Amino acid sequence: MKSALFGLLIFLLAGCTNSEQYAGNLPYPYWRLGFLAPDYMEVWVETADVEDVHGNRFYQMGGGTASIAKPADGSGNAAGWRSNLGWGAGRHVNGADLPKRIYVRWQSMAEPQTYRVILDIPERARQLMSERLDPPCRTSEYRHALALGLAPGGIVRGWVMSTCGKPIEVLRAQAEIEPKGPYRGESNGKHRPLSDSAKAYIEKHGIPYGSW
């Protein structure tokens, strides 16, 4: 009798643990939010807040530098988006269901300019993030990553992806200029400085607006 009760207790505890680990209808414990930028077009993400499909808000789910390629010899190409996008620099969004909106504010250091945008994540993105891959990747069965590309001019592109296969584009958006400037006016209008390699590339080639 004691053995049966002990087994039932373990079963119930396991069920509770599982329900706490997976938010809503997610088939995995968390999804990933990442940021990237075109070659040499350096970006500093000031904040990225997430709202999931239930209206729950998760603050500071992104911040710092975006993933970028900037060869010191200037051999990169800032026009367009590179084919091997990767997941971008970011973090896992724990405890959230699939995203409904993402609020992003960032510095486009190449210009320099500060932008802000509210991204309404389309239903297609959530469907793709919920579908089981066939065949699955070696390390994942789902597209559980959302990567946001941030480019000069306030251009935003979004892709969902897994650890294998090609990224699938799910959104395009145009951000607005943040009227308060960098750090919401707390830096006297000063943006973060460019790296030497990015500065040299821009001085030689300029900023390829219209290519993203």
Side-chain angles (χ1 to χ4, degrees):
M1 183 68 178
K2 290 183 179 180
S3 177
L5 289 174
F6 180 75
L8 177 60
L9 178 60
I10 294 298
F11 176 80
L12 291 174
L13 288 174
C16 292
T17 301
N18 187 65
S19 65
E20 292 175 357
Q21 184 180 15
Y22 296 83
N25 296 317
L26 277 183
Y28 37 81
Y30 47 73
W31 54 276
R32 189 180 188 280
L33 177 63
F35 295 91
L36 51 91
D39 294 2
Y40 302 102
M41 302 292 106
E42 291 179 335
V43 160
W44 180 265
V45 179
E46 291 188 355
T47 187
D49 303 330
V50 171
E51 179 183 347
D52 73 8
V53 291
H54 302 296
N56 301 313
R57 295 286 292 269
F58 300 82
Y59 299 96
Q60 293 294 328
M61 291 293 105
T65 56
S67 177
I68 190 172
K70 46 182 181 180
D73 62 0
S75 60
N77 184 5
W81 300 95
R82 56 188 181 273
S83 58
N84 56 333
L85 287 172
W87 288 20
R91 60 181 293 184
H92 294 124
V93 183
N94 289 296
D97 208 318
L98 292 171
K100 180 180 180 181
R101 294 187 184 92
I102 300 179
Y103 305 77
V104 189
R105 188 176 70 250
W106 78 95
Q107 296 180 30
S108 172
M109 294 141 64
E111 298 177 88
Q113 187 61 268
T114 303
Y115 296 98
R116 66 183 185 185
V117 69
I118 300 175
L119 299 171
D120 289 310
I121 308 303
E123 180 61 29
R124 178 170 178 262
R126 290 186 287 272
Q127 290 174 350
L128 289 167
M129 294 174 75
S130 301
E131 292 175 357
R132 187 184 297 271
L133 295 170
D134 184 20
C137 297
R138 184 174 60 85
T139 56
S140 176
E141 297 182 356
Y142 295 90
R143 300 179 187 91
H144 59 284
L146 174 62
L148 299 178
L150 308 176
I155 302 300
V156 184
R157 299 277 287 274
W159 301 268
V160 294
M161 59 188 73
S162 186
T163 53
C164 67
K166 294 182 179 180
I168 301 174
E169 185 173 341
V170 292
L171 69 85
R172 298 186 182 194
Q174 173 64 58
E176 64 178 2
I177 293 174
E178 166 58 70
K180 296 181 180 179
Y183 300 109
R184 288 193 168 182
E186 296 178 0
S187 65
N188 295 319
K190 293 182 179 179
H191 290 82
R192 296 182 64 86
L194 282 169
S195 67
D196 291 341
S197 58
K199 184 177 180 181
Y201 181 93
I202 292 169
E203 288 177 347
K204 182 176 181 179
H205 301 283
I207 298 175
Y209 291 106
S211 67
W212 302 296

